[in-house]
Every structure is written in C-alpha cells, then in structure tokens.
Amino acid sequence: MTGDDVADTLAAMGPRLRAARQHRGATLTGVSCATGISPSTLSRIETSRRKPTLEVVLQLAKEYGVSLDELAGTAPAAQPRTSALRRFGGDKAVLPLTRYVGGLHAHKHVLPAVQEPPARPGQVSHDGWEWLCVLYGRLWLALDDQDLVLSAGDVAEFDTRNPHGVANAGPGGPVEYLIMFGPQGERLRSRTPPAPGSRAR
C-alpha cells in the first residue's frame, strides 16, 4: 500500500465510522461516555478533519461491532446474512441486508403488534437520505410536523436531517418495512425504461 493509498483509506474511514455509529443508533455523547473519546474528537474524525490513531480505531471498532477490514474498506463482499437478526427497544427487530460501513445500505424492520393506539413517535435527525417501503401492516411516519400513515406498497423518501420517527399505526398486526439509507445523502436513482411506443424527449 502506497502513501496515497494510506491517505485515501484514512480519509474514507471517517464517513464509515459515522455510518457505523448511526447504524447502532448511538450519539456522539453516548460513544464518548463508552470510550472516553471526547465528542469533539469523534466529530472531527467522522468529518475527516482529524486522522484517527490505531488505538482510537480499535476502540471504535469494538464499540460498533465492526472489523478493521470493514472500516478500512478492504473486507471482501459479504452475502446478506439472513440470520443476523438484531433486536432493539420495544421489541423492534432489524435484519441487516448489507454491510453498514459507508455507502447505501439496506435493512428490514419489523415492529410488533400493539393493542392500544400508540403515542406520536419520538423523532431523531441526522445526516443522510432515507427511502422507506412498507411491506405489511400500517406504519405511522412522523416527519417533522407531518403525520403520515403508510400501508403495504407505500413508499416515502426524505432527508434525514429533518426530524423523523416511526411507530406501528395499530392496533392490529405487526408492521414490516424496508429501509435504504445513504449516510452521505446518497439517493436511489430511477432507471425505468420508456414505455413501448413512447418517444424520448
């Protein structure tokens, strides 16, 4: 690896660290408390204004549950891991469909059934762009001051710097939905061919 290769790897590591942290749902303050690394240092590393030391990279890799190869971008491509089901607060289950260290990634969420009408979802905001598609059930999407109820087949996309949150719109059964997330603001691009007989403009 040449000097330029090392510089490029270090430059790309900041966004990968940020993507890994966001996937864990962790804040800079929370990671700081867990690792002893100041929030300002973490922020400068994530925005590539500071090169991380090996000690810091090892700490963060352990905290985020990722390998050094993943953070360096040298890990071999992995097949989707259908057994890597993760559970979060409120019994929400998340099934990773891709790696979570930079670039577009996808995962499937399942919200359990609820018996009572839910409270308005709590909202978060962070860098990135999100595309969401409901597979089953009814999903309550609180997007800034808007409230949307999405059913199977409905799609929404939004800038995640806007406050947003989701909940099962119940009562009823569970809700299943897919999320594509671009931590650097990457968006999906439509490449639908023109209909037969139509003329290009």
Side-chain angles (χ1 to χ4, degrees):
M1 182 177 286
T2 67
D4 288 342
D5 291 335
V6 171
D8 290 343
T9 298
L10 290 174
M13 193 169 287
R16 292 192 180 107
L17 286 167
R18 179 169 60 182
R21 174 179 62 78
Q22 291 175 341
H23 168 61
R24 299 279 292 188
T27 64
L28 290 174
T29 301
V31 175
S32 176
C33 291
T35 63
I37 305 167
S38 72
S40 60
T41 296
L42 291 169
S43 177
R44 288 196 294 271
I45 289 172
E46 288 187 359
T47 54
S48 301
R49 290 178 291 161
R50 177 170 179 168
K51 294 179 181 178
T53 64
L54 178 58
E55 180 181 1
V56 166
V57 172
L58 288 171
Q59 281 183 280
L60 294 178
K62 182 178 180 180
E63 178 68 17
Y64 299 150
V66 298
S67 69
L68 293 179
D69 280 342
E70 288 177 296
L71 292 177
T74 57
Q79 298 298 319
R81 294 173 291 175
T82 56
S83 61
L85 189 65
R86 303 177 184 181
R87 295 197 174 273
F88 294 84
D91 293 328
K92 179 175 77 171
V94 177
L95 179 65
L97 302 177
T98 57
R99 290 188 177 276
Y100 290 92
V101 285
L104 281 170
H105 48 256
H107 36 102
K108 178 181 177 180
H109 290 228
V110 180
L111 297 177
V114 294
Q115 301 303 317
E116 302 293 334
R120 191 170 195 264
Q123 294 179 309
V124 297
S125 59
H126 49 80
D127 289 339
W129 189 270
E130 187 167 301
W131 180 89
L132 180 155
C133 176
V134 178
L135 301 176
Y136 176 84
R138 298 169 67 246
L139 182 73
W140 182 354
L141 171 62
L143 186 57
D144 205 350
D145 59 354
Q146 300 180 65
D147 290 282
L148 306 171
V149 176
L150 308 177
S151 300
D154 288 341
V155 174
E157 61 175 319
F158 52 90
D159 186 331
T160 54
R161 290 174 297 183
N162 296 318
H164 58 281
V166 297
N168 188 331
V175 181
E176 298 182 12
Y177 58 101
L178 293 177
I179 283 181
M180 288 284 291
F181 175 65
Q184 309 305 315
E186 301 93 335
R187 303 188 188 187
L188 299 180
R189 295 185 296 275
S190 175
R191 291 291 184 267
T192 305
S198 66
R199 297 170 60 183
R201 295 182 180 180

